[in-house]
C-alpha cells in the first residue's frame, strides 16, 4: 500500500504515514461516488441540511483537537487554527440559512397561459482539490454547498493538510453523509492527476497559478465546469490623509497573519510620499512586536513556513530586491532549524522591477513603495497579472470609492484588509482565477440551471 508521510514543518519531525491512494483506487472511488450521487440528490433538502448541522456540532465538540492537528501539520499558530475553525461556523451557518431560497425553483414569468421557471439541479459528481493554508475555510467553501445542493464530492486535501482532510471526512460521515457521497483522496500530485482523469461534472481547485494552468489545460476540452481559485499579489494604497500609525498596524497584520501564507495577504503597499516615512517607521515597529516561535503556544504570532520549497522563493525575492537597490529594514533570511522558518521581512525603496512587487511571495515578506499621488498608486496597483483583492486607507469614503472603482480586483477594501465574508462572492481577475465561491452565487455555482417553458392547454 502507498503511504503519504506527514511532517511537522515547525520541527521537521515525521508525524505519521497515512494510507495513500493511487490511480486504481481513485478510479474505483469515483465510480462509487458517481453511483451514489443520484440517491443523495433524492434525499430531501431538510435531511441534507440536518447532516451538515450535525457536522457543525461535531466540529464544535472537537475544536481544540482539530486545531491542534491543523497546527501540527501546517505550522499555523494554534490561535489562528482556532480562529479558522470558529470562523468556519459562521460560514456553515450562512450556507444552511441560504441554500433553500438560493436553489428554490423560481417562476420568472407567468402570463397568457405561459409560465417560465428556473430550476436548480445538482452538477452531479464534483471534484475538489483543496488548499493547505486554510484547509477548513477553503474546503468548506466547496464541499458544504456542494453537498447541500445534492452533489457527491471527491475531496482531495493538500498533502500538507491530509490529516485535516481525513478529519473532515470522518465528521461528515458521522453526521450522516454517506461514505460514497463524500470521498477523501489522500496523496500528492499523482493523485490529483488521477482525479482529473475521472468522469466528473465539476472541478474546483484552490492553489497556485502554475498548477491551475495545468488543470485548465487538462479539463478545458472536456466541457466540465471548472473553477480555479489561484494566487494574488494583493496591493493596498495608504493615502496622504490616512493616519499612518493606524494604517500601519492594520496592514502589518494583513501582511503577516498566518505567516503571510494567505491568498489575500497584503503583498504590496503603496504609501503617499507625504506620510511615507511615518508609515514605514510604524509598520516596522509593529512587525517587531509579532512573537515568532512554537506554533503550539498561544503567544506565537509568526509560525513555520508550511512548504520547504517556499523558502527558496523567499530567498530569491530577497536577493533580487537587494541586488536592485531596495532597502532591507527587517529580517531577510531563513532562521535556524529544525523546521522551516523565515524571519518577518520588510523592504522599503522598492519598485516594479523587483520580483517581490510582481510575483506572489506567500510568506512573511513585504515591499513598501512611495508614490506621489493617487493616479500613480492606481497605475501601480493595476500593474499586475493578478487581481484578487485591493485596498485603500483614507478617512474620505468618496475618495476611497473613486479609487477602488478603478482597480482590477474581485474584492476591494476600505480601511481594512485580508478579510473574507461568507455573504460576499470570492473571485478574482486575471491570473487570480475563474469562477467564485461564497455568497448565494457560491451556492448556485454547484447547480445546473434548467429552464422550464410551460403552456397551459
Amino acid at each position: 500500500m502507498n503511504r503519504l508521510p506527514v511532517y511537522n514543518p515547525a520541527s521537521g519531525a515525521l508525524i505519521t504515514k497515512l494510507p495513500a491512494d493511487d490511480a486504481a483506487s481513485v478510479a474505483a472511488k469515483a465510480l462509487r461516488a458517481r453511483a451514489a450521487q443520484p440517491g443523495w440528490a433524492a434525499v430531501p433538502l431538510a435531511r441534507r441540511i440536518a447532516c451538515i448541522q450535525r457536522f457543525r456540532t461535531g466540529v464544535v465538540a472537537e475544536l481544540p483537537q482539530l486545531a491542534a492537528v491543523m497546527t501540527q501539520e501546517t505550522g499555523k499558530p494554534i490561535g489562528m487554527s482556532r480562529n479558522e475553525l470558529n470562523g468556519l461556523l459562521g460560514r456553515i451557518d450562512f450556507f444552511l440559512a441560504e441554500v433553500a431560497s438560493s436553489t428554490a425553483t423560481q417562476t420568472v414569468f407567468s402570463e397568457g397561459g405561459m409560465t417560465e421557471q428556473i430550476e436548480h439541479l445538482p452538477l452531479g459528481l464534483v471534484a475538489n482539490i483543496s488548499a493547505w493554508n486554510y484547509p477548513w475555510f477553503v474546503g468548506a467553501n466547496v464541499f458544504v454547498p456542494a453537498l447541500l445542493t445534492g452533489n457527491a464530492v471527491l475531496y482531495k486535501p493538500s498533502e500538507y493538510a491530509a490529516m485535516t482532510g481525513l478529519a473532515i471526512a470522518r465528521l461528515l460521515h458521522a453526521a450522516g453523509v454517506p461514505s460514497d457521497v463524500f470521498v477523501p483522496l489522500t496523496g500528492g500530485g499523482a493523485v490529483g492527476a488521477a482525479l482529473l482523469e475521472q468522469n466528473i461534472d465539476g472541478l474546483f481547485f484552490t492553489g497556485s497559478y502554475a498548477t491551475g494552468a495545468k488543470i485548465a489545460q487538462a479539463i478545458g476540452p472536456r466541457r466540465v465546469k471548472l473553477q480555479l481559485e489561484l494566487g494574488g499579489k494583493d496591493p493596498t494604497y495608504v493615502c496622504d490623509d490616512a493616519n499612518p500609525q493606524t494604517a500601519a498596524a492594520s496592514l502589518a497584520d494583513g501582511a503577516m497573519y498566518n505567516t503571510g501564507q494567505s491568498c489575500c495577504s497584503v503583498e504590496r503597499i503603496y504609501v503617499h510620499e507625504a506620510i511615507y516615512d511615518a508609515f514605514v517607521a510604524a509598520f516596522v515597529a509593529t512587525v517587531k512586536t509579532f512573537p515568532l516561535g512554537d506554533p503550539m503556544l498561544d503567544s506565537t504570532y509568526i509560525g513555520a513556513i508550511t512548504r520547504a520549497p517556499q523558502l527558496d522563493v523567499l530567498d530569491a525575492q530577497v536577493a533580487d530586491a537587494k541586488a536592485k537597490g531596495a532597502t532591507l529594514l527587517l529580517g531577510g533570511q531563513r532562521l535556524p532549524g529544525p523546521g522551516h522558518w523565515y524571519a518577518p521581512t520588510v523592504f522599503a525603496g522598492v519598485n516594479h522591477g523587483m520580483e517581490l512587487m510582481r510575483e506572489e511571495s506567500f510568506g512573511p515578506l513585504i515591499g513598501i513603495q512611495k508614490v506621489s499621488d493617487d493616479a500613480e498608486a492606481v497605475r501601480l496597483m493595476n500593474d499586475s497579472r493578478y487581481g484578487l483583492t485591493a485596498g485603500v486607507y483614507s478617512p474620505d469614503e468618496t475618495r476611497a470609492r473613486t479609487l477602488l472603482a478603478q482597480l482590477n480586483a474581485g474584492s476591494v477594501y476600505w480601511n481594512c484588509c485580508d478579510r473574507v465574508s461568507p455573504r460576499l462572492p470570492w473571485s478574482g481577475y486575471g491570473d487570480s482565477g475563474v469562477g467564485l465561491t461564497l455568497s448565494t452565487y457560491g451556492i448556485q455555482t454547484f447547480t445546473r440551471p434548467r429552464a422550464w417553458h410551460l403552456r397551459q392547454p
Side-chain angles (χ1 to χ4, degrees), residues 264-341:
C264 54
S265 286
V266 176
E267 292 223 353
R268 298 180 282 149
I269 300 176
Y270 304 94
V271 184
H272 194 283
E273 60 187 9
I275 62 167
Y276 180 81
D277 291 340
F279 175 89
V280 169
F283 189 93
V284 171
T286 301
V287 174
K288 284 181 177 179
T289 69
F290 294 155
L292 180 151
D294 183 352
M296 291 301 294
L297 297 177
D298 281 326
S299 58
T300 295
Y301 180 91
I302 300 289
I305 299 297
T306 304
R307 297 176 59 257
Q310 198 64 24
L311 296 170
D312 294 332
V313 174
L314 297 171
D315 277 343
Q317 291 192 358
V318 167
D320 177 73
K322 287 180 176 179
K324 293 175 179 175
T327 301
L328 178 64
L329 301 176
L330 193 66
Q333 71 281 329
R334 303 186 191 205
L335 297 175
H340 317 142
W341 298 90

Side-chain angles (χ1 to χ4, degrees), residues 51-52 54-56 58-59 62 66 69-70 73 84-85 88 92 128 130-132 134-144 147 153 155-158 161-179 182-185:
C51 287
I52 299 303
R54 290 191 292 270
F55 169 71
R56 184 194 190 282
V59 170
E62 296 188 22
L66 298 172
V69 167
M70 181 163 39
E73 65 181 342
E84 180 177 345
L85 285 158
L88 167 73
I92 294 175
N128 180 209
S130 197
W132 52 262
Y134 288 93
W136 287 91
F137 270 172
V138 172
N141 291 351
V142 173
F143 68 73
V144 171
L147 290 170
V153 179
Y155 182 69
K156 184 201 170 300
S158 166
M163 295 193 303
T164 292
L166 293 177
I168 289 169
R170 174 178 58 79
L171 289 171
L172 283 168
H173 297 159
V177 177
S179 59
F182 184 86
V183 184
L185 304 173

Side-chain angles (χ1 to χ4, degrees), residues 11 21 65 67 139 153 163 234 243 289 292 324 337 396 437 446:
S11 67
D21 284 286
Q65 303 95 300
V153 179
M163 295 193 303
D234 305 315
N243 181 304
T289 69
L292 180 151
K324 293 175 179 175
D396 185 338
T437 54
F446 295 96

Side-chain angles (χ1 to χ4, degrees), residues 255-256 266-269 283 345-348 356 363-368:
M256 299 294 168
V266 176
E267 292 223 353
R268 298 180 282 149
I269 300 176
F283 189 93
T345 300
V346 181
F347 278 99
L356 89 164
L365 169 62
I366 191 73
I368 306 174

